[in-house]
Amino acid sequence: MATLIGFDAKRVVRNATGLGNYGRTLIGDLSAVIPDDWQLRLYAPDPGREALRRQVALSERVQLVCPEGRPLKIQRSLWRIGSIVSDLQRDGVQLYHGLTGELPRGIRQAGIRSVVTIHDLIFLRHPEYYHKIDAKIYAWKFRVACREADRIIAISERTKQDVMELGGVSEDRIDVIYQSCSPRFLTEVPPRQVADVSNRYGLPRRFILSVGTIEERKNILLAVRSLRYLPDDIHLVAVGRATDYSKQVLKEAESMNLINRIHFLQGVPDSDLQALYQMAEVFVYPSRYEGFGIPVIEAIHSGLPVVAATGSCLEEAGGPDCLYVSPDDAAGLGTAVCQVLKGMAGREQYIARSRDYVRRFEGNDVATQVLEVYRKLLNQ
């Protein structure tokens, strides 16, 4: 009899970045290490986006499951937070993994083992970055997940400490398993593709890169201010969805006569993102708070030195050979970037040592650790 592992796959088929990448990468890595008699079932409220589905190698052992007879959005939402449990029982799922901090109510009572991955608790630690209603909904889902889960996977030691402090969860229920980075960032993009990407986006010859939603918490304004301390031919390219905060950033850039050195790019596909990483000189990540910071790993895999902010988990993600500055120190950020620009002494050593450090986040190792959590629960 096959062992069936279910997953909350809503964001696997819907979200192009962040939580979606985590789910797709983990499922791909797990499919390479699970025993022959195991199957992975991806439960999503709808089929989502075809381009994202194609990133998961569906097969007899990896199947997508969507609810039937629930045409309304509210019906599908209610299914995901509760009534999915009856479908899991019907299908014979032995263990269910909530990949994005959520579990359905009643799964423990139904006798189905469960694991939940908690990425961050920013909505509790810094609720000022969220709409009040959203913060309350996320907090409620977190409490449900803590109550229902047999095991909790925290993606960093920082997140583990937050789960213990803010969720009242005992340490012996939590496993720290870092995120793995997609192996595509280890491959070099052909020069012709690099030139095509540069031309399509009208990119400058020299730039520092940042990747992530253009929102207040990500603190891209610090990178803008740091341009005053960099050579005049260095530009900033920021990749990510724009928010109202973007207007504030652009307004200040204009007041500092830096607007011509700022490039905001939205809707960038994965293949173009690889090229952008490889064209940049330095990766900057001045975020005030993160649960992990996967773009730091992507940048290091792409051969970039990294300058990030102190105060959350970014030192944990990047290791001792990235550079770190206060999230309020524009001059410090500029000085650190200058230290690792192309041609600077020691740049290649920073990159090489950082690459050695992030090998711990490679796919099969992460998947093997997650698989061990599953095995222990199933054998209890």
Side-chain angles (χ1 to χ4, degrees):
M1 180 178 174
T3 297
L4 299 184
I5 310 297
F7 296 87
D8 175 8
K10 173 185 174 180
R11 288 177 174 82
V12 169
V13 298
R14 285 192 187 179
N15 289 41
T17 59
L19 298 179
N21 281 338
Y22 170 78
R24 288 186 295 273
T25 301
L26 179 59
I27 289 164
D29 293 339
L30 280 170
S31 66
V33 300
I34 57 173
D36 291 340
D37 61 343
W38 285 37
Q39 293 181 12
L40 309 181
R41 300 281 178 91
L42 314 183
Y43 290 84
D46 54 58
R49 297 161 58 181
E50 182 181 356
L52 299 179
R53 289 199 309 276
R54 285 202 306 265
Q55 294 180 30
V56 179
L58 299 177
S59 64
E60 288 187 4
R61 299 180 70 206
V62 183
Q63 299 178 13
L64 179 65
V65 181
C66 300
E68 297 180 357
R70 298 176 187 269
L72 302 179
K73 182 179 179 180
I74 185 64
Q75 292 176 312
R76 296 193 295 272
S77 296
L78 292 173
W79 170 80
R80 182 167 170 265
I81 65 174
S83 53
I84 185 178
V85 172
S86 61
D87 287 1
L88 301 177
Q89 290 177 305
R90 175 201 65 200
D91 295 343
V93 169
Q94 288 107 310
L95 184 148
Y96 183 78
H97 188 164
L99 294 170
T100 57
E102 301 178 47
L103 285 174
R105 290 176 298 170
I107 194 166
R108 177 181 285 271
Q109 186 177 358
I112 300 171
R113 294 291 193 180
S114 64
V115 177
V116 64
T117 297
I118 303 294
H119 296 263
D120 62 67
L121 295 180
I122 301 169
F123 52 88
L124 292 176
R125 185 66 73 186
H126 291 286
E128 68 272 18
Y129 294 135
Y130 295 83
H131 293 297
K132 287 184 178 180
I133 293 177
D134 288 341
K136 288 182 178 180
I137 291 172
Y138 297 150
W140 173 77
K141 289 181 176 180
F142 170 61
R143 290 193 298 271
V144 170
C146 289
R147 183 183 70 232
E148 298 284 353
D150 292 298
R151 301 295 303 175
I152 293 173
I153 292 175
I155 64 166
S156 67
E157 288 289 344
R158 175 66 269 168
T159 295
K160 174 184 174 180
Q161 295 303 316
D162 283 351
V163 171
M164 292 168 60
E165 178 186 343
L166 302 175
V169 177
S170 62
E171 185 175 12
D172 59 8
R173 288 180 61 205
I174 305 172
D175 300 285
V176 175
I177 302 178
Y178 293 110
Q179 289 183 257
S180 57
C181 173
S182 171
R184 68 181 181 274
F185 294 101
L186 291 166
T187 61
E188 189 171 347
V189 177
R192 181 182 231 173
Q193 184 180 344
V194 170
D196 172 65
V197 171
S198 180
N199 290 332
R200 277 192 286 112
Y201 293 109
L203 297 176
R205 187 176 65 87
R206 303 183 71 193
F207 63 88
I208 60 175
L209 177 69
S210 189
V211 175
T213 304
I214 313 300
E215 60 182 340
E216 185 178 359
R217 174 174 60 85
K218 299 287 187 180
N219 196 30
I220 196 64
L221 187 54
L222 189 78
V224 171
R225 290 169 176 165
S226 76
L227 290 175
R228 294 175 295 176
Y229 306 95
L230 298 176
D232 290 342
D233 63 338
I234 300 289
H235 292 229
L236 169 66
V237 174
V239 178
R241 178 177 58 84
T243 66
D244 289 342
Y245 171 74
S246 309
K247 300 173 185 176
Q248 175 189 342
V249 174
L250 292 173
K251 184 177 180 180
E252 183 156 343
E254 190 168 13
S255 72
M256 294 185 291
N257 294 318
L258 294 171
I259 194 69
N260 292 332
R261 295 168 65 186
I262 310 298
H263 308 262
F264 283 175
L265 308 181
Q266 297 190 70
V268 174
D270 284 341
S271 55
D272 288 357
L273 183 59
Q274 283 178 260
L276 287 167
Y277 274 121
Q278 293 177 24
M279 279 187 280
E281 289 201 28
V282 179
F283 184 76
V284 295
Y285 206 56
S287 179
R288 292 187 178 277
Y289 206 88
E290 294 292 329
F292 184 62
I294 198 68
V296 169
I297 314 300
E298 295 172 350
I300 293 171
H301 277 324
S302 301
L304 285 178
V306 171
V307 182
T310 58
S312 58
C313 66
L314 297 179
E315 294 101 324
E316 198 177 337
D321 292 291
C322 295
L323 301 178
Y324 304 96
V325 300
S326 163
D328 297 302
D329 187 1
L333 181 60
T335 299
V337 169
C338 285
Q339 188 176 333
V340 289
L341 289 171
K342 287 183 178 178
M344 297 301 293
R347 171 187 164 93
E348 298 308 317
Q349 287 75 19
Y350 280 117
I351 294 170
R353 291 195 296 263
S354 293
R355 278 181 154 170
D356 285 341
Y357 176 83
V358 300
R359 285 199 178 101
R360 69 193 64 198
F361 309 129
E362 290 181 359
N364 281 352
D365 184 52
V366 171
T368 300
Q369 292 177 65
V370 173
L371 181 60
E372 184 60 22
V373 173
Y374 296 169
R375 286 187 192 277
K376 287 181 179 178
L377 277 179
L378 291 171
N379 291 331
Q380 286 180 358

